[in-house]
Amino acid sequence: MDEAYSDCWLLAAIASLTLNEKLLNRVVPHGQTFQDNYAGIFHFQFWQFGEWVDVVIDDRLPVKDGELMFVHSAEGNEFWSALIEKAYAKLTGSYEALSGGSTTEGFEDFTGGVAEMYELRKAPKDLHRIIGKALERGSLLGCSIDITSAFDMEAVTFKKLVKGHAYSVTGLKQVNYRGQTERLIRIRNPWGQIEWTGAWSDNSPEWDAIDSSEREDMHCRMEDGEFWMSFQEFLRQFSRLEICNLTADALSEDNQSFWNTVKFDGGWRRGSTAGGCRNHPNTYWINPQYKITLLEEDDDPEDNEVACSFLVALMQKDRRRYRRQGQDMHTIGFAIYEIPEEFKGSQNVHLKKDFFLHHSSCARSETFINLREVSTRLRLPPGEYLVVPSTFEPGKEADFVLRIFTEKQSDTEEMDDDVVATFEDEGEILECDIDDSFRAMFAQLSGEDMEISVCELRTILNRVVSKHRDLKTDGFSMESCRGMVCLMDKDGSARLGIVEFQSLWNKIRKWLGIFRQFDMDKSGCMSSYEMRLALESAGFKLNNRLNQVLVARYAENEVIDFDNFVCCLVKLEAMFKAFQELDRENTGTVELNITEWLYMTMCG
């Protein structure tokens, strides 16, 4: 195999897949042979970020000097693994994209399950219980011994375990051994021949000390390459355990022992939802937020703790495809917070900066790491919790899938603000109420017709903002001034009279105060996350998607200057008021004919 290319992780996953016929038939649908009606094409199915994807390939395989270049069988006449590899390479973009991965990636893409990994030298005390439940659920379990150098790869220890090689865990059993309970684990070497020769191996003397019927039963259930060893020996000899927990659709219909699963598709976008980790308090709160309500505690008789078991898995999408552009996996993770009393039962709230400044997480992913997926098994008391997925650094863009697996029933939903606008009662302005100094200014600005045109408004506003040295602005455009005139123009003249201009002037002064208040670092402009808070202060509560749209439209390099801030507010107010006028019954929905639609969109 080419030194620059290594997908032994994929081979290990394929080997585990062959142990479960139902799962194998999902990836390689029935009825495909090299004989009957052979057309030189093959059809495979893989799970990708929440859905099953069909991949069709031809039968041409890459060879060098007459031999298969990548995955191949020892005999050289079995091609299914090489065909699966080719289909998987097509799915991810190239063979090159498969180089360097973890068995858990293959596990997940062959099953749609969620994988978790345990370092056995730091194994949790209840690992035997976790393994037992996983085996009951039909999960795929793999284990391996770390290599410390290239010379270790596939080296055989003196008790016949292979380093750097993927084994499968196939059983767990307790036996009565010399008056004490001994916990045993069954391991399988997919190669078949090389087996463990230590305690509890096939012909070891330990078997003579247990009941003969139990011994016979445990030996009958073993296949070639399969062996038993003590659980404690397993923890000492092996380095890592990987478990792929299967979802309901991967299991047989009569198996009721599966995880309850919920999936969210989300994304981090620079300036709107890519807030980085907790180390960045100014932006952390803008990350997407999800609520999980744990309703039922576990019913494990051995466990006295009142707690709910669940798995959180955060997967970044399609990162392998970006390797050719010099990009790869982002460093990702998540944190979990207990939702305080005042927000319990609420969905329509996106918690802000102050919440995270004053509340610590109650659980988190073990580490932030640049893997495709980060998953963690957790146990928390029944209650409501907030899950915040993030990249380590702010401003890193990616799509993600967040999956939450619970042993018992739970409720899960995205936390996001409702879209609402609250307008202050500005009161009706009468011409007689306007003071003399404002009249004089208006007369000077408006000219003989005593009305301000779009062009005149632009001149006025740019003259005013240029005097405010603390504001950064490149000036108001004709388009933005046209929007202001449309918002304030009550008589359809496309010009502003003195009352209309006074009303607009009051708004701009109010918005200037808000702009200065939320320009926290006094830089003369606002960051995109400061703008979200400023818009809320101005009366506009918007969800993540709308904030993302506004940042894309009004920010430049995630920075919003004063003129763009005003333009954004003008547009928001105009569109909300147009909607309210059309929603006469206050139902939250409107129906438009083509004329109304064009009038609203072309004139807004």
Side-chain angles (χ1 to χ4, degrees):
M1 187 176 285
D2 187 336
E3 286 182 13
Y5 174 87
S6 173
D7 70 349
C8 56
W9 61 276
L10 184 59
L11 178 58
I14 293 171
S16 293
L17 183 67
T18 61
L19 300 178
N20 187 317
E21 190 177 353
K22 185 176 190 295
L23 296 176
L24 181 63
N25 291 337
R26 180 71 181 262
V27 175
V28 189
H30 271 306
Q32 301 188 83
T33 71
F34 291 95
Q35 285 86 35
D36 301 334
N37 300 315
Y38 181 59
I41 61 170
F42 296 92
H43 165 220
F44 298 91
Q45 287 188 314
F46 301 106
W47 184 90
Q48 283 286 280
F49 313 119
E51 59 185 11
W52 286 93
V53 177
D54 286 300
V55 179
V56 177
I57 59 166
D58 61 35
D59 59 2
R60 292 172 65 85
L61 294 169
V63 295
K64 186 177 183 181
D65 300 327
E67 293 192 2
L68 287 172
M69 287 179 66
F70 305 129
V71 169
H72 53 273
S73 66
E75 296 79 18
N77 60 357
E78 189 276 308
F79 299 103
W80 280 111
S81 55
L83 290 166
I84 290 174
E85 180 193 37
K86 177 174 178 174
Y88 199 52
K90 179 178 179 180
L91 183 73
T92 54
S94 67
Y95 277 97
E96 182 188 13
L98 298 183
S99 183
S102 67
T103 305
T104 54
E105 278 191 55
F107 274 171
E108 293 186 339
D109 290 349
F110 294 156
T111 66
V114 63
E116 51 183 326
M117 187 176 73
Y118 295 94
E119 298 289 346
L120 295 180
R121 61 188 171 81
K122 302 187 291 186
K125 290 178 183 175
D126 63 342
L127 184 64
H128 65 278
R129 195 166 65 207
I130 291 169
I131 292 173
K133 283 190 172 184
L135 289 166
E136 282 174 23
R137 292 191 177 97
S139 305
L140 300 181
L141 289 86
C143 57
S144 60
I145 303 170
D146 280 349
I147 58 171
T148 52
S149 72
F151 298 109
D152 268 356
M153 192 60 191
E154 296 183 357
V156 180
T157 69
F158 80 101
K159 289 189 179 176
K160 293 291 193 292
L161 293 176
V162 185
K163 292 187 175 182
H165 178 60
Y167 289 82
S168 302
V169 177
T170 58
L172 194 68
K173 179 86 173 171
Q174 284 193 169
V175 296
N176 190 338
Y177 175 65
R178 293 179 177 169
Q180 290 191 318
T181 299
E182 178 84 44
R183 187 173 286 119
L184 304 179
I185 188 166
R186 191 172 65 209
I187 311 289
R188 184 181 179 192
N189 178 358
W191 284 353
Q193 303 91 349
I194 305 172
E195 289 189 16
W196 163 249
T197 57
W200 298 101
S201 59
D202 286 5
N203 298 309
S204 68
E206 286 81 9
W207 291 106
D208 299 333
I210 71 166
D211 183 85
S212 58
S213 63
E214 193 167 30
R215 178 175 68 234
E216 195 65 34
D217 181 56
M218 290 171 73
H219 276 153
C220 281
R221 292 167 183 255
M222 292 201 302
E223 298 181 32
D224 182 34
E226 212 162 21
F227 55 86
W228 290 95
M229 65 194 307
S230 82
F231 193 76
Q232 289 307 313
E233 192 72 54
F234 165 73
L235 295 178
R236 279 194 294 271
Q237 295 287 340
F238 285 88
S239 312
R240 186 171 292 104
L241 172 73
E242 293 171 323
I243 301 176
C244 184
N245 301 278
L246 303 183
T247 53
D249 75 331
L251 296 167
S252 56
E253 289 78 11
D254 59 350
N255 189 334
Q256 296 303 306
S257 181
F258 50 74
W259 294 87
N260 298 293
T261 312
V262 67
K263 175 181 77 74
F264 294 100
D265 292 290
W268 297 294
R269 292 293 176 270
R270 189 179 295 111
S272 57
T273 53
C277 72
R278 181 71 183 267
N279 298 346
H280 306 275
N282 284 336
T283 56
Y284 180 66
W285 64 274
I286 69 176
N287 285 300
Q289 300 174 10
Y290 302 89
K291 182 171 80 169
I292 175 171
T293 305
L294 300 172
L295 300 168
E296 295 179 70
E297 64 185 88
D298 297 348
D299 51 11
D300 196 322
E302 293 180 35
D303 186 22
N304 297 321
E305 188 183 1
V306 178
C308 310
S309 293
F310 65 108
L311 265 167
V312 179
L314 173 65
M315 177 186 288
Q316 49 189 318
K317 284 187 179 183
D318 295 324
R319 298 306 303 171
R320 286 185 178 275
R321 291 182 177 273
Y322 297 117
R323 281 189 173 171
R324 287 184 177 177
Q325 286 94 342
Q327 299 180 44
D328 211 327
M329 303 293 180
H330 291 315
T331 301
I332 61 171
F334 57 83
I336 297 176
Y337 299 82
E338 188 171 1
I339 291 180
E341 208 60 49
E342 64 266 31
F343 295 119
K344 282 187 176 169
S346 172
Q347 177 189 355
N348 304 317
V349 59
H350 184 98
L351 295 178
K352 302 299 188 294
K353 178 180 171 181
D354 278 355
F355 171 82
F356 296 104
L357 287 177
H358 298 106
H359 294 81
S360 297
S361 60
C362 59
R364 65 184 71 82
S365 53
E366 193 173 333
T367 181
F368 274 76
I369 193 165
N370 59 338
L371 292 176
R372 182 177 77 160
E373 183 174 64
V374 172
S375 69
T376 303
R377 179 187 291 259
L378 300 160
R379 297 186 82 229
L380 291 173
E384 292 186 21
Y385 299 92
L386 187 74
V387 183
V388 183
S390 73
T391 56
F392 188 70
E393 295 289 340
K396 300 293 184 184
E397 294 198 333
D399 293 316
F400 65 78
V401 173
L402 178 72
R403 292 183 293 164
I404 298 171
F405 295 70
T406 55
E407 284 204 7
K408 296 289 189 176
Q409 287 300 315
S410 65
D411 289 335
T412 317
E413 56 201 346
E414 183 169 4
M415 296 277 276
D416 206 352
D417 288 327
D418 268 343
V419 177
V420 291
T422 308
F423 299 113
E424 286 182 11
D425 184 9
E426 296 167 345
E428 188 179 356
I429 298 173
L430 300 174
E431 191 167 343
C432 59
D433 295 332
I434 297 172
D435 64 41
D436 292 339
S437 62
F438 192 86
R439 284 174 184 280
M441 180 187 75
F442 182 79
Q444 184 184 350
L445 297 169
S446 60
E448 291 181 10
D449 62 358
M450 290 297 283
E451 286 195 315
I452 289 177
S453 67
V454 172
C455 196
E456 287 169 331
L457 179 62
R458 184 186 183 201
T459 303
I460 296 162
L461 292 180
N462 286 338
R463 193 181 299 163
V464 170
V465 294
S466 68
K467 291 178 181 175
H468 291 272
R469 302 282 183 190
D470 62 327
L471 297 179
K472 282 191 181 172
T473 174
D474 53 5
F476 287 88
S477 66
M478 287 294 286
E479 180 192 354
S480 56
C481 291
R482 195 171 284 114
M484 289 183 227
V485 170
C486 285
L487 175 66
M488 306 310 303
D489 180 23
K490 302 291 186 255
D491 57 11
S493 66
R495 291 168 173 269
L496 300 182
I498 189 167
V499 172
E500 295 165 330
F501 184 64
Q502 174 77 74
S503 182
L504 175 62
W505 195 253
N506 291 348
K507 285 181 190 295
I508 291 174
R509 281 168 55 200
K510 180 182 113 180
W511 292 339
L512 176 60
I514 292 171
F515 186 88
R516 284 183 166 142
Q517 179 188 345
F518 287 94
D519 173 16
M520 312 269 186
D521 57 1
K522 305 305 172 196
S523 62
C525 50
M526 280 193 298
S527 66
S528 51
Y529 60 87
E530 288 171 338
M531 177 170 126
R532 181 168 182 166
L533 295 171
L535 291 178
E536 195 165 320
S537 176
F540 299 101
K541 213 173 220 185
L542 308 174
N543 61 21
N544 283 340
R545 192 172 172 193
L546 274 168
N547 277 295
Q548 189 175 312
V549 169
L550 294 183
V551 167
R553 171 70 179 80
Y554 293 102
E556 194 169 323
N557 296 324
E558 300 172 62
V559 171
I560 294 93
D561 58 15
F562 180 64
D563 54 285
N564 273 317
F565 178 65
V566 171
C567 294
C568 180
L569 285 165
V570 166
K571 186 72 171 177
L572 279 171
E573 186 167 325
M575 298 314 287
F576 268 104
K577 285 185 172 175
F579 184 90
Q580 288 171 354
E581 281 182 26
L582 292 165
D583 184 19
R584 295 177 187 89
E585 304 293 320
N586 203 25
T587 61
T589 58
V590 297
E591 196 173 306
L592 302 177
N593 61 36
I594 187 65
T595 307
E596 290 169 324
W597 167 254
L598 287 171
Y599 179 80
M600 188 173 74
T601 54
M602 300 305 290
C603 300

